[in-house]
Amino acid sequence: GAVVSQHPSWVICKSGTSVKIECRSLDFQATTMFWYRQFPKQSLMLMATSNEGSKATYEQGVEKDKFLINHASLTLSTLTVTSAHPEDSSFYICSVQGKFTYEQYFGPGTRLTVT
Amino acid sequence: SQQGEEDPQALSIQEGENATMNCSYKTSINNLQWYRQNSGRGLVHLILIRSNEREKHSGRLRVTLDTSKKSSSLLITASRAADTASYFCATPAGGTSYGKLTFGQGTILTVHP
């Protein structure tokens, strides 16, 4: 399977600032990546599908102007949380779609805390 | 939206015992996957079962799928403390296509040494 990394693993920021989270596919060219958020003791909620070279597709209820996604290369997708607020504090996880497989390969996640 | 519901929400057992987790889903699917998540970490794929399969094994894992009842179960035999984690079932959001997954609510498994 693919090896996926995320950076940073955790970040604390002040309310009103923007934070960028990187998701890298280390050994696999990923045309499609996914971004999820997860609140404590809850399941994963899909935020958006990131497609290399095109605009991301956002799930209903996810503000695209607040959660900016850029998938500029086959190995890197970034999620920028703009004007972060305490309610944006969460665990953000990316995944890479396997090639010709239903499996997804997940990054280790990024813990965002907005103070 | 969450398609899957899992039960129990939490399960606490002793090492050596078996652990069974159940997942139900709503729409027709062509496959169902199980993932594991250690606390504060990403998910790891455990096993995939296709809609034309009734049972699948991988090491100490046994997965069943009943498409008529729209349900699946994950059995972990001879559990170990290292099996302590959250377990999620996942189905294709579109029912059959590659891509988006819909995750169940998850079962938190605690295995006591």
Side-chain angles (χ1 to χ4, degrees):
Chain A
V3 178
V4 182
S5 70
Q6 281 185 241
H7 179 79
S9 55
W10 59 270
V11 58
I12 301 173
C13 71
K14 291 183 185 265
S15 189
T17 61
S18 295
V19 174
K20 181 186 283 188
I21 301 170
E22 294 184 348
C23 176
R24 291 185 184 274
S25 177
L26 299 182
D27 59 352
F28 181 76
Q29 292 190 326
T31 55
T32 302
M33 293 184 177
F34 302 94
W35 286 96
Y36 298 84
R37 67 185 298 181
Q38 183 180 33
F39 292 107
K41 298 191 186 303
Q42 293 189 23
S43 188
L44 280 73
M45 293 293 293
L46 179 66
M47 299 175 66
T49 302
S50 171
N51 300 295
E52 189 266 337
S54 63
K55 291 184 179 180
T57 304
Y58 291 82
E59 294 300 302
Q60 192 172 8
V62 177
E63 299 175 58
K64 62 180 181 181
D65 294 330
K66 181 168 184 61
F67 298 100
L68 301 179
I69 291 173
N70 185 283
H71 192 154
S73 77
L74 288 171
T75 59
L76 174 64
S77 175
T78 60
L79 167 67
T80 302
V81 183
T82 62
S83 188
H85 291 282
E87 56 266 32
D88 298 323
S89 297
S90 188
F91 193 55
Y92 292 88
I93 310 175
C94 70
S95 71
V96 167
Q97 177 68 52
K99 193 168 186 176
F100 306 127
T101 174
Y102 295 110
E103 294 176 33
Q104 290 185 19
Y105 304 100
F106 286 81
T110 297
R111 174 78 57 194
L112 170 63
T113 302
V114 184
T115 60
Chain B
S1 62
Q2 297 299 318
Q3 157 150 254
E5 294 186 4
E6 294 181 59
D7 77 271
Q9 290 187 328
L11 181 60
S12 182
I13 60 176
Q14 295 294 128
E15 238 180 359
E17 295 179 341
N18 295 341
T20 300
M21 291 157 265
N22 303 295
C23 165
S24 62
Y25 56 93
K26 296 175 183 173
T27 62
S28 295
I29 58 172
N30 66 353
N31 75 88
L32 184 144
Q33 302 177 54
W34 284 89
Y35 287 83
R36 164 195 168 125
Q37 182 182 33
N38 285 69
S39 181
R41 303 291 295 169
L43 276 70
V44 174
H45 182 267
L46 294 177
I47 197 166
L48 179 150
I49 186 166
R50 298 182 184 273
S51 59
N52 61 354
E53 298 174 306
R54 290 294 168 260
E55 188 171 308
K56 197 165 183 179
H57 296 254
S58 176
R60 292 184 297 113
L61 304 180
R62 183 175 79 104
V63 168
T64 63
L65 179 64
D66 187 334
T67 53
S68 67
K69 295 181 179 177
K70 290 187 168 59
S71 67
S72 174
S73 68
L74 170 66
L75 167 68
I76 303 174
T77 60
S79 63
R80 304 167 183 166
D83 294 329
T84 295
S86 294
Y87 293 82
F88 296 93
C89 66
T91 53
T96 60
S97 61
Y98 292 131
K100 299 198 294 186
L101 293 177
T102 300
F103 285 85
Q105 293 301 312
T107 294
I108 301 172
L109 173 65
T110 303
V111 182
H112 299 280

